[in-house]
Every structure is written in structure tokens, then in C-alpha cells.
Amino acid sequence: MTTLDALVRPAEYPRSSHYDPAWLLGLDMGPHPLWLLEDLCRDLDLRPGMRVLDLGSGRGATSVFLAREFGVEVVAADLWVAPDQAAEVFAAAGVADRVHAVRAEAHDLPFARASFDAIISVDAYEYFGTADSYLAYISRFLKPGGQLAIATPGMTREIRDLGAIPAHIKACVGWEAIAWHTADWWRFQWEITELVTVISARLQPDGWRDWLRWARAGLDHGTDDREGTKKVIAMLEADQGEFLSFALVTARMNGTAS
Ligand SMILES: C[S@@+](CC[C@H](N)C(=O)[O-])C[C@H]1O[C@@H](n2cnc3c(N)ncnc32)[C@H](O)[C@@H]1O
């Protein structure tokens, strides 16, 4: 049994430690969103008053964190979770004045060009962001010098180079794993466009352990997707970090601020 206290880890994730693990588990949609986001933010420069798009914001934990920790204005955009549901989370967390929920499809975003200082996506970009054309699309919504940041399931080796999806990964997510890439893949994919300058592209050394710790806690404390969570646990226990982690990638939009 994983105790909720085991999810409070001030040495590794000081900011996330201020958030109630039971509240976070109630918003669960995958790995621990705040551990990923807190680590990703180490490579970002977020300032109070900046306008930030949280793309694929899900049930809203990451948007609450961004507003509270950095004093930014957040647009929480998501496809599957209704804006009313997310708005309730923002109101209860006391950030409704700074976080605005919208229903949005990542390829058809209802925003003006150059309207964000940063676009951040936690455990969502793998669903929509791997097409060659996507960086050119999403970066149009950034101001010159604006920051793009993603945390996404990552691989130590490209599946293309392995020649097949490793069996324990395929058993959990099937073909969807072809959207999981190495940090070097992301760096090249973004830099070759010359639209952005990559600031950082790294795999979390212990990302798989964090994911496993979180998934076990979800199973012990009532996740609504027990079968899916059991599959994730089996995948991570088999993997032991051989292939799986999270890729954290950040970049700045080229061009000078007007
Ligand atoms: C695994 S959940 C993660 C949610 C949240 N970021 C978190 O970490 O808790 C992935 C999210 O991506 C969103 N998503 C998937 N495809 C999308 C698309 N085409 N456009 C917008 N959002 C999308 C889903 O609505 C879902 O909420």
C-alpha cells in the first residue's frame, strides 16, 4: 500500500509538495502532472503577468500550479474535459480570476497569432504534436521570444531504431507508443525548422520511477481507471528504465519582440 505521504517529496519536488495528494489523485489522468511540470519549469523563465497556454490541461491541476506558483494568467485548453468541469476546479482552488478554461482542439485553436508568452503541455503533446507540420502551427501563437515547453512520455531509444515496439510497452499502449521519442529526436525535430531555438531537451533519469510510484498510489487510493493503471504498472515494472522515461523539451520562438 502506497501512503499518500509518500507522494509528498519536498527534496525532489518542493513546489509540488504544497499540493494535497488526495486532491491531485482526484484529478488524475496519467502520470503525476505537477512533478513533470515542476521539473519542466526548471528550464523556463516564467514571470508574473505572463499569458500562458496550458495545452491539453485535462482536469486542471497544472493550470492551478502555474497560476499559483508563477503568478501567470493561464488559458487552460482541453478537448476531452468540459470547460465547466475545469472551471469548478479553478474556482475551488481560488484561481478563477487568473485561469480561463476553454474547449479546444489542438489543431484548430481559437486564438490570435502571437497571443501567448508561453505554451506549456504536460502529458498531452504526444496525442497531437508529433506531425512534422505541428511546430509551425503551434509556434504561430507564441510572441517572438515566447517559450514552448512539453513533458511527454519519452524513450531512451527510438522505436524506429529498435525495429519494433518493445512487447511490454505494446501490451500497455499499442501503436500509440510510436509517438514516444528520445530527447534528441525532439531537439532535432524542432531545431531543423529554424522557427525556435531549443533551450533544453532531456530525459528525466527517474521519470519511470515517479510514474510507477504515482500509478501504484492511484491503484491504492481509488483511480477511476483501475485496468489501465494496472497495465501501466506492469509496463513500468517490466521496463525498469531500460526504454521509458519522460522527455522534457523547452524552446524559445525565434525573432525579436516587437
Ligand atoms: C493524459 S491527459 C493529461 C491531462 C493533464 N495535462 C494532466 O497532466 O493531468 C491528456 C490530455 O490531452 C488532451 N488532448 C488529447 N488530444 C487533444 C487534442 N487533439 N486537442 C486538445 N487536447 C487534447 C486530452 O483532452 C487530455 O485531457
Side-chain angles (χ1 to χ4, degrees):
M1 180 87 170
T2 311
T3 65
L4 290 180
D5 286 350
L7 298 175
V8 179
R9 303 166 66 207
E12 294 89 351
Y13 299 108
R15 289 179 185 267
S16 304
S17 299
H18 300 302
Y19 293 77
D20 178 4
W23 175 76
L24 281 166
L25 281 167
L27 303 176
D28 180 32
M29 292 184 80
H32 193 307
L34 300 192
W35 292 344
L36 289 172
L37 179 58
E38 182 167 355
D39 199 1
L40 186 64
C41 286
R42 291 177 178 131
D43 297 331
L44 290 174
D45 180 15
L46 297 176
R47 308 268 175 91
M50 280 183 167
R51 191 169 142 81
V52 176
L53 174 61
D54 184 356
L55 186 56
S57 48
R59 292 176 174 149
T62 49
S63 299
V64 171
F65 183 92
L66 288 167
R68 277 199 194 155
E69 299 299 319
F70 298 101
V72 296
E73 306 280 328
V74 183
V75 175
D78 199 76
L79 185 61
W80 305 339
V81 177
D84 289 357
Q85 191 185 334
E88 283 176 20
V89 173
F90 303 143
V95 295
D97 57 332
R98 280 165 287 153
V99 184
H100 176 59
V102 298
R103 171 97 67 186
E105 206 290 318
H107 301 89
D108 188 20
L109 295 173
F111 309 119
R113 279 179 179 265
S115 48
F116 293 101
D117 297 290
I119 298 175
I120 298 176
S121 185
V122 174
D123 189 35
Y125 207 79
E126 64 274 15
Y127 294 107
F128 49 76
T130 55
D132 292 345
S133 55
Y134 194 71
L135 184 77
Y137 174 72
I138 193 64
S139 60
R140 77 177 61 162
F141 300 103
L142 279 174
K143 298 175 186 175
Q147 299 164 84
L148 176 64
I150 65 169
T152 184
M155 298 283 292
T156 57
R157 294 183 58 198
E158 279 298 310
I159 287 171
R160 185 172 291 269
D161 295 337
L162 294 170
I165 300 170
H168 61 286
I169 300 176
K170 192 171 174 181
C172 181
V173 293
W175 64 266
E176 289 189 27
I178 59 173
W180 298 0
H181 291 285
T182 62
D184 284 346
W185 185 92
W186 283 108
R187 178 184 288 281
F188 185 86
Q189 184 78 1
W190 284 8
E191 251 171 10
I192 195 74
T193 65
E194 300 183 5
L195 294 169
V196 298
T197 299
V198 173
I199 302 165
S200 61
R202 58 188 171 93
L203 280 190
Q204 287 186 310
D206 279 333
W208 73 276
R209 285 187 208 277
D210 285 357
W211 193 1
L212 182 55
R213 183 189 297 237
W214 176 252
R216 285 177 175 154
L219 203 58
D220 290 344
H221 295 278
T223 177
D224 54 14
D225 180 15
R226 292 189 67 77
E227 290 317 305
T229 302
K230 282 181 192 168
K231 282 189 186 177
V232 166
I233 290 170
M235 173 178 74
L236 294 168
E237 286 178 342
D239 190 80
Q240 296 287 312
E242 183 181 3
F243 298 117
L244 291 171
S245 181
F246 279 85
L248 306 184
V249 192
T250 65
R252 260 190 201 280
M253 186 70 181
N254 290 337
T256 50
S258 51

Coordinates of all heavy atoms in Angstrom, one line a residue, residues 120-191:
I120 N 2.6 25.6 -22.7 CA 3.1 24.5 -21.9 C 2.2 23.3 -22.1 O 0.9 23.5 -22.0 CB 3.3 25.0 -20.5 CG1 4.3 26.1 -20.4 CG2 3.7 23.8 -19.6 CD1 4.4 26.7 -19.0
S121 N 2.7 22.2 -22.2 CA 1.9 21.0 -22.4 C 2.4 19.8 -21.6 O 3.6 19.4 -21.9 CB 1.8 20.6 -23.9 OG 0.9 19.6 -24.1
V122 N 1.7 19.3 -20.7 CA 2.1 18.2 -19.8 C 1.3 16.9 -20.1 O 0.1 16.9 -20.0 CB 1.9 18.6 -18.3 CG1 2.3 17.4 -17.4 CG2 2.8 19.8 -18.0
D123 N 2.1 15.9 -20.5 CA 1.5 14.6 -20.9 C 0.3 14.7 -21.8 O -0.8 14.1 -21.6 CB 1.1 13.9 -19.6 CG 0.7 12.4 -19.9 OD1 1.3 11.8 -20.9 OD2 -0.2 11.9 -19.3
A124 N 0.4 15.5 -22.8 CA -0.7 15.7 -23.8 C -0.1 15.8 -25.2 O -0.8 15.4 -26.2 CB -1.5 16.9 -23.5
Y125 N 1.1 16.4 -25.4 CA 1.6 16.7 -26.7 C 1.7 15.4 -27.6 O 1.6 15.5 -28.8 CB 2.9 17.4 -26.6 CG 3.4 18.3 -27.7 CD1 2.9 19.6 -27.7 CD2 4.3 17.9 -28.6 CE1 3.3 20.5 -28.7 CE2 4.7 18.8 -29.6 CZ 4.2 20.1 -29.7 OH 4.6 20.9 -30.7
E126 N 1.9 14.3 -26.9 CA 2.1 13.0 -27.7 C 0.8 12.7 -28.5 O 0.9 11.9 -29.4 CB 2.5 11.9 -26.8 CG 1.5 11.5 -25.7 CD 1.6 12.3 -24.4 OE1 2.3 13.4 -24.4 OE2 1.0 11.9 -23.4
Y127 N -0.3 13.3 -28.1 CA -1.6 12.9 -28.7 C -1.8 13.8 -30.0 O -2.6 13.4 -30.9 CB -2.8 13.2 -27.8 CG -2.8 12.3 -26.6 CD1 -2.5 12.8 -25.4 CD2 -3.2 11.0 -26.8 CE1 -2.6 11.9 -24.2 CE2 -3.2 10.1 -25.7 CZ -2.9 10.6 -24.4 OH -3.0 9.8 -23.3
F128 N -1.1 14.9 -30.1 CA -1.3 15.8 -31.3 C -0.1 16.4 -31.9 O -0.2 17.0 -32.9 CB -2.4 16.9 -30.9 CG -2.0 17.6 -29.6 CD1 -1.0 18.5 -29.6 CD2 -2.7 17.3 -28.4 CE1 -0.7 19.2 -28.4 CE2 -2.4 18.0 -27.3 CZ -1.4 18.9 -27.2
G129 N 1.1 16.4 -31.2 CA 2.2 17.2 -31.6 C 3.3 16.6 -32.3 O 4.4 17.3 -32.5
T130 N 3.2 15.4 -32.8 CA 4.4 14.8 -33.4 C 4.5 14.9 -34.9 O 5.5 14.6 -35.5 CB 4.5 13.3 -33.1 OG1 3.3 12.6 -33.4 CG2 4.8 13.1 -31.6
A131 N 3.4 15.4 -35.6 CA 3.5 15.6 -37.0 C 4.5 16.7 -37.4 O 4.7 17.6 -36.6 CB 2.1 16.0 -37.6
D132 N 5.2 16.5 -38.5 CA 6.2 17.4 -38.9 C 5.8 18.9 -39.0 O 6.5 19.8 -38.7 CB 6.8 17.0 -40.3 CG 7.6 15.7 -40.2 OD1 7.9 15.2 -39.1 OD2 7.8 15.1 -41.3
S133 N 4.5 19.0 -39.3 CA 4.0 20.4 -39.5 C 3.5 21.1 -38.2 O 3.2 22.2 -38.2 CB 2.8 20.3 -40.5 OG 1.8 19.4 -40.0
Y134 N 3.5 20.3 -37.1 CA 2.8 20.9 -35.9 C 3.6 22.0 -35.3 O 3.0 23.0 -34.8 CB 2.5 19.8 -34.9 CG 1.5 20.3 -33.8 CD1 0.2 20.5 -34.2 CD2 1.9 20.6 -32.6 CE1 -0.7 21.1 -33.3 CE2 1.0 21.2 -31.7 CZ -0.3 21.4 -32.0 OH -1.2 21.9 -31.1
L135 N 4.9 22.0 -35.2 CA 5.6 23.1 -34.6 C 5.3 24.4 -35.3 O 5.2 25.4 -34.6 CB 7.1 22.8 -34.6 CG 7.9 23.9 -33.8 CD1 7.8 23.7 -32.3 CD2 9.4 23.9 -34.3
A136 N 5.3 24.4 -36.6 CA 5.0 25.6 -37.4 C 3.6 26.1 -37.0 O 3.4 27.3 -36.9 CB 5.1 25.3 -38.9
Y137 N 2.7 25.2 -36.8 CA 1.3 25.6 -36.4 C 1.3 26.2 -35.0 O 0.8 27.3 -34.8 CB 0.3 24.4 -36.5 CG -1.0 24.8 -36.0 CD1 -1.9 25.6 -36.7 CD2 -1.5 24.3 -34.8 CE1 -3.1 26.0 -36.3 CE2 -2.7 24.7 -34.3 CZ -3.5 25.5 -35.0 OH -4.7 25.9 -34.5
I138 N 1.8 25.5 -34.1 CA 1.6 25.9 -32.7 C 2.5 27.2 -32.4 O 2.1 28.0 -31.6 CB 2.0 24.8 -31.7 CG1 1.5 25.1 -30.3 CG2 3.5 24.4 -31.7 CD1 0.0 25.2 -30.1
S139 N 3.6 27.3 -33.0 CA 4.5 28.4 -32.7 C 3.9 29.7 -33.2 O 4.3 30.8 -32.7 CB 5.9 28.2 -33.2 OG 5.9 28.0 -34.6
R140 N 3.0 29.7 -34.1 CA 2.4 31.0 -34.5 C 1.6 31.7 -33.4 O 1.4 32.9 -33.4 CB 1.4 30.8 -35.7 CG 0.1 30.2 -35.4 CD -0.8 30.0 -36.6 NE -0.3 29.1 -37.6 CZ -1.0 28.6 -38.5 NH1 -2.3 28.8 -38.6 NH2 -0.4 27.8 -39.4
F141 N 1.2 30.9 -32.4 CA 0.5 31.5 -31.2 C 1.4 32.1 -30.2 O 1.0 32.7 -29.2 CB -0.4 30.5 -30.6 CG -1.4 30.0 -31.6 CD1 -1.3 28.7 -32.2 CD2 -2.5 30.7 -32.0 CE1 -2.2 28.2 -33.1 CE2 -3.4 30.3 -32.9 CZ -3.3 29.0 -33.5
L142 N 2.8 31.9 -30.4 CA 3.7 32.5 -29.4 C 4.2 33.9 -29.9 O 4.4 34.1 -31.1 CB 5.0 31.6 -29.4 CG 4.9 30.4 -28.5 CD1 6.1 29.5 -28.7 CD2 4.7 30.7 -27.0
K143 N 4.4 34.7 -28.9 CA 5.1 36.0 -29.2 C 6.5 35.7 -29.6 O 7.1 34.7 -29.2 CB 5.0 36.9 -28.0 CG 3.6 37.3 -27.6 CD 3.7 38.1 -26.3 CE 2.3 38.3 -25.7 NZ 2.2 39.0 -24.4
P144 N 7.2 36.6 -30.3 CA 8.6 36.5 -30.6 C 9.3 36.3 -29.2 O 9.0 37.1 -28.3 CB 9.0 37.8 -31.3 CG 7.8 38.3 -31.9 CD 6.7 37.8 -31.0
G145 N 10.2 35.4 -29.1 CA 10.9 35.1 -27.8 C 10.1 34.3 -26.9 O 10.6 34.0 -25.8
G146 N 8.9 34.0 -27.2 CA 8.0 33.2 -26.3 C 8.5 31.8 -26.2 O 9.3 31.3 -27.0
Q147 N 8.1 31.1 -25.1 CA 8.6 29.8 -24.8 C 7.6 28.7 -25.0 O 6.4 28.9 -24.7 CB 9.0 29.8 -23.3 CG 10.1 30.8 -22.9 CD 10.2 31.1 -21.4 OE1 10.8 30.4 -20.7 NE2 9.5 32.1 -20.9
L148 N 8.1 27.6 -25.5 CA 7.3 26.4 -25.8 C 7.9 25.3 -24.9 O 9.1 25.1 -24.9 CB 7.4 26.0 -27.2 CG 6.7 24.7 -27.6 CD1 5.2 24.8 -27.4 CD2 6.9 24.4 -29.1
A149 N 7.1 24.6 -24.2 CA 7.6 23.6 -23.3 C 6.7 22.4 -23.2 O 5.5 22.5 -23.0 CB 7.8 24.2 -21.8
I150 N 7.3 21.2 -23.3 CA 6.5 20.0 -23.3 C 7.1 18.9 -22.3 O 8.3 18.8 -22.2 CB 6.2 19.3 -24.6 CG1 7.5 18.8 -25.2 CG2 5.6 20.3 -25.6 CD1 7.3 17.9 -26.5
A151 N 6.3 18.2 -21.6 CA 6.7 17.0 -20.9 C 5.8 15.9 -21.5 O 4.6 15.9 -21.5 CB 6.4 17.1 -19.4
T152 N 6.5 14.9 -22.0 CA 5.8 13.9 -22.8 C 6.5 12.5 -22.6 O 7.7 12.5 -22.4 CB 5.8 14.3 -24.3 OG1 5.0 13.4 -25.1 CG2 7.2 14.4 -24.9
P153 N 5.8 11.4 -22.6 CA 6.5 10.1 -22.5 C 7.6 10.0 -23.5 O 7.5 10.4 -24.7 CB 5.4 9.1 -22.8 CG 4.1 9.8 -22.4 CD 4.3 11.2 -22.8
G154 N 8.8 9.6 -23.0 CA 10.0 9.6 -23.8 C 10.7 8.2 -23.8 O 10.4 7.4 -22.9
M155 N 11.5 8.0 -24.7 CA 12.2 6.8 -24.9 C 13.8 7.0 -24.8 O 14.3 8.0 -25.3 CB 11.9 6.1 -26.2 CG 10.4 5.8 -26.4 SD 9.9 4.3 -25.6 CE 10.8 3.0 -26.5
T156 N 14.5 6.0 -24.3 CA 15.9 6.1 -24.4 C 16.5 5.7 -25.8 O 17.6 6.1 -26.1 CB 16.6 5.1 -23.4 OG1 16.1 3.7 -23.7 CG2 16.2 5.4 -22.0
R157 N 15.6 5.0 -26.6 CA 16.0 4.7 -28.0 C 14.8 4.9 -28.8 O 13.6 4.6 -28.4 CB 16.5 3.3 -28.1 CG 17.9 3.1 -27.4 CD 18.4 1.7 -27.6 NE 18.6 1.4 -29.0 CZ 18.8 0.2 -29.4 NH1 18.7 -0.9 -28.6 NH2 18.9 -0.1 -30.7
E158 N 15.0 5.3 -30.1 CA 13.8 5.4 -31.0 C 13.3 4.0 -31.3 O 14.0 3.1 -31.6 CB 14.3 6.1 -32.3 CG 14.4 7.6 -32.2 CD 13.0 8.3 -31.9 OE1 12.1 7.9 -32.6 OE2 13.0 9.1 -31.0
I159 N 12.0 3.9 -31.3 CA 11.3 2.7 -31.7 C 11.7 2.3 -33.2 O 11.9 1.1 -33.5 CB 9.8 2.8 -31.5 CG1 9.5 2.8 -30.0 CG2 9.0 1.7 -32.2 CD1 8.1 3.1 -29.6
R160 N 11.8 3.3 -34.0 CA 12.2 3.1 -35.4 C 13.6 2.3 -35.4 O 13.8 1.4 -36.2 CB 12.4 4.4 -36.1 CG 12.6 4.3 -37.6 CD 12.5 5.7 -38.2 NE 11.1 6.2 -38.2 CZ 10.3 6.0 -39.2 NH1 10.7 5.4 -40.3 NH2 9.1 6.4 -39.1
D161 N 14.5 2.7 -34.5 CA 15.8 2.0 -34.5 C 15.7 0.7 -33.9 O 16.5 -0.2 -34.2 CB 16.8 2.9 -33.7 CG 17.1 4.2 -34.4 OD1 16.9 4.3 -35.6 OD2 17.5 5.2 -33.7
L162 N 14.8 0.5 -32.9 CA 14.6 -0.8 -32.3 C 14.0 -1.8 -33.3 O 14.1 -3.0 -33.2 CB 13.7 -0.7 -31.1 CG 14.3 0.1 -29.9 CD1 13.2 0.3 -28.8 CD2 15.5 -0.7 -29.3
G163 N 13.2 -1.2 -34.3 CA 12.6 -2.1 -35.3 C 11.2 -2.6 -34.9 O 10.5 -3.1 -35.7
A164 N 10.8 -2.4 -33.6 CA 9.5 -2.8 -33.1 C 9.3 -2.2 -31.8 O 10.2 -1.7 -31.1 CB 9.5 -4.3 -33.0
I165 N 8.0 -2.1 -31.5 CA 7.6 -1.6 -30.1 C 7.9 -2.7 -29.1 O 7.4 -3.8 -29.3 CB 6.1 -1.2 -30.1 CG1 5.8 -0.1 -31.1 CG2 5.7 -0.7 -28.7 CD1 4.3 0.1 -31.3
P166 N 8.8 -2.4 -28.1 CA 9.0 -3.5 -27.1 C 7.7 -4.1 -26.6 O 6.7 -3.3 -26.3 CB 9.8 -2.7 -26.0 CG 10.5 -1.6 -26.8 CD 9.5 -1.2 -27.8
A167 N 7.7 -5.4 -26.4 CA 6.5 -6.1 -26.1 C 5.7 -5.5 -24.8 O 4.5 -5.4 -24.8 CB 6.8 -7.6 -25.9
H168 N 6.5 -5.2 -23.8 CA 5.8 -4.7 -22.6 C 5.2 -3.4 -22.8 O 4.2 -3.0 -22.1 CB 6.8 -4.7 -21.4 CG 8.0 -3.8 -21.6 ND1 9.1 -4.1 -22.4 CD2 8.3 -2.6 -21.0 CE1 10.0 -3.1 -22.3 NE2 9.5 -2.2 -21.5
I169 N 5.7 -2.6 -23.7 CA 5.1 -1.2 -24.0 C 3.9 -1.4 -24.9 O 2.8 -0.8 -24.6 CB 6.2 -0.3 -24.6 CG1 7.4 -0.1 -23.7 CG2 5.5 1.0 -25.0 CD1 8.5 0.7 -24.2
K170 N 4.1 -2.3 -25.9 CA 3.0 -2.6 -26.8 C 1.7 -3.1 -26.0 O 0.6 -2.8 -26.3 CB 3.4 -3.6 -27.8 CG 2.5 -3.8 -29.0 CD 3.2 -4.6 -30.0 CE 2.3 -5.0 -31.2 NZ 3.1 -5.9 -32.1
A171 N 2.0 -4.0 -25.0 CA 0.9 -4.6 -24.3 C 0.1 -3.5 -23.5 O -1.1 -3.7 -23.2 CB 1.4 -5.6 -23.3
C172 N 0.7 -2.4 -23.2 CA 0.0 -1.3 -22.5 C -0.6 -0.3 -23.4 O -1.8 0.0 -23.2 CB 1.0 -0.6 -21.5 SG 0.3 0.7 -20.5
V173 N 0.1 0.2 -24.4 CA -0.4 1.3 -25.2 C -0.5 1.1 -26.7 O -1.0 1.9 -27.4 CB 0.4 2.6 -25.0 CG1 0.3 3.1 -23.6 CG2 1.9 2.4 -25.3
G174 N -0.1 -0.1 -27.1 CA -0.2 -0.5 -28.5 C 0.6 0.4 -29.4 O 1.7 0.9 -29.0
W175 N 0.1 0.7 -30.6 CA 0.8 1.6 -31.6 C 1.0 3.0 -31.1 O 1.8 3.7 -31.6 CB 0.0 1.6 -32.9 CG -1.3 2.2 -32.8 CD1 -2.5 1.6 -32.6 CD2 -1.6 3.6 -32.9 NE1 -3.5 2.5 -32.5 CE2 -3.0 3.8 -32.7 CE3 -0.8 4.8 -33.1 CZ2 -3.6 5.0 -32.7 CZ3 -1.5 6.0 -33.1 CH2 -2.9 6.1 -32.9
E176 N 0.2 3.4 -30.1 CA 0.4 4.8 -29.7 C 1.8 5.1 -29.2 O 2.2 6.3 -29.2 CB -0.6 5.2 -28.5 CG -2.0 5.2 -29.0 CD -3.0 5.7 -27.9 OE1 -2.6 6.5 -27.1 OE2 -4.2 5.4 -28.0
A177 N 2.6 4.1 -28.9 CA 4.0 4.3 -28.4 C 4.8 4.9 -29.5 O 5.9 5.4 -29.2 CB 4.6 3.0 -27.9
I178 N 4.4 4.8 -30.8 CA 5.2 5.4 -31.8 C 5.3 7.0 -31.7 O 6.1 7.6 -32.4 CB 4.8 5.0 -33.3 CG1 3.4 5.4 -33.6 CG2 5.1 3.5 -33.5 CD1 2.9 5.2 -35.0
A179 N 4.5 7.5 -30.9 CA 4.5 9.0 -30.6 C 5.5 9.3 -29.5 O 5.6 10.4 -29.1 CB 3.2 9.5 -30.3
W180 N 6.1 8.3 -28.9 CA 7.1 8.5 -27.8 C 8.5 8.5 -28.4 O 8.9 7.5 -29.1 CB 7.0 7.4 -26.8 CG 5.6 7.3 -26.1 CD1 4.5 8.1 -26.3 CD2 5.2 6.4 -25.1 NE1 3.5 7.8 -25.5 CE2 3.8 6.7 -24.8 CE3 5.8 5.3 -24.4 CZ2 3.1 6.0 -23.8 CZ3 5.1 4.6 -23.5 CH2 3.7 5.0 -23.1
H181 N 9.3 9.5 -28.1 CA 10.5 9.7 -28.7 C 11.6 10.0 -27.7 O 11.4 10.4 -26.6 CB 10.4 10.9 -29.7 CG 9.6 10.5 -30.9 ND1 10.0 9.7 -31.9 CD2 8.3 10.9 -31.2 CE1 9.0 9.6 -32.8 NE2 8.0 10.3 -32.4
T182 N 12.9 10.0 -28.3 CA 14.0 10.4 -27.4 C 14.1 11.9 -27.3 O 13.5 12.6 -28.2 CB 15.3 9.9 -28.1 OG1 15.5 10.5 -29.3 CG2 15.4 8.3 -28.2
A183 N 14.9 12.4 -26.4 CA 15.1 13.8 -26.3 C 15.8 14.3 -27.5 O 15.5 15.4 -28.0 CB 15.9 14.1 -25.0
D184 N 16.7 13.6 -28.0 CA 17.4 14.0 -29.2 C 16.5 14.1 -30.4 O 16.7 15.0 -31.3 CB 18.6 13.1 -29.6 CG 19.8 13.3 -28.7 OD1 19.8 14.3 -28.0 OD2 20.6 12.4 -28.7
W185 N 15.5 13.2 -30.5 CA 14.6 13.3 -31.6 C 13.8 14.7 -31.6 O 13.7 15.4 -32.6 CB 13.6 12.2 -31.5 CG 12.6 12.1 -32.7 CD1 12.8 11.4 -33.8 CD2 11.3 12.8 -32.8 NE1 11.6 11.6 -34.7 CE2 10.7 12.4 -34.0 CE3 10.6 13.6 -32.0 CZ2 9.5 12.9 -34.5 CZ3 9.3 14.1 -32.4 CH2 8.8 13.7 -33.6
W186 N 13.4 15.0 -30.4 CA 12.6 16.3 -30.2 C 13.5 17.5 -30.5 O 13.1 18.4 -31.2 CB 12.1 16.4 -28.8 CG 10.9 15.6 -28.5 CD1 10.8 14.4 -27.8 CD2 9.6 15.8 -29.1 NE1 9.5 13.9 -27.8 CE2 8.7 14.7 -28.6 CE3 9.0 16.7 -29.9 CZ2 7.4 14.6 -28.9 CZ3 7.7 16.7 -30.2 CH2 6.9 15.6 -29.7
R187 N 14.7 17.4 -30.0 CA 15.7 18.6 -30.3 C 15.8 18.8 -31.8 O 15.6 19.9 -32.3 CB 17.0 18.3 -29.7 CG 18.0 19.4 -29.9 CD 19.4 19.0 -29.4 NE 19.5 19.1 -27.9 CZ 19.6 20.3 -27.2 NH1 19.6 21.4 -27.9 NH2 19.6 20.2 -25.9
F188 N 16.1 17.7 -32.5 CA 16.3 17.8 -34.0 C 15.0 18.2 -34.7 O 15.0 19.1 -35.5 CB 16.7 16.4 -34.6 CG 17.1 16.5 -36.0 CD1 18.3 16.9 -36.4 CD2 16.1 16.2 -37.0 CE1 18.7 17.0 -37.8 CE2 16.4 16.3 -38.3 CZ 17.7 16.7 -38.7
Q189 N 13.9 17.6 -34.3 CA 12.6 17.9 -34.9 C 12.2 19.4 -34.8 O 11.7 19.9 -35.8 CB 11.5 17.0 -34.2 CG 10.1 17.1 -34.8 CD 9.9 16.3 -36.0 OE1 10.9 15.6 -36.5 NE2 8.8 16.3 -36.6
W190 N 12.5 20.0 -33.7 CA 12.2 21.4 -33.5 C 13.3 22.3 -34.1 O 12.9 23.3 -34.8 CB 12.0 21.7 -32.0 CG 10.8 21.2 -31.4 CD1 9.8 20.4 -32.0 CD2 10.2 21.5 -30.1 NE1 8.8 20.1 -31.2 CE2 9.0 20.8 -30.0 CE3 10.7 22.2 -29.0 CZ2 8.2 20.9 -28.8 CZ3 9.9 22.3 -27.9 CH2 8.7 21.6 -27.8
E191 N 14.6 22.0 -33.9 CA 15.6 22.9 -34.3 C 15.7 23.0 -35.9 O 16.0 24.1 -36.4 CB 17.0 22.5 -33.7 CG 17.4 23.4 -32.7 CD 18.6 23.0 -31.9 OE1 19.3 22.0 -32.3 OE2 18.9 23.6 -30.9

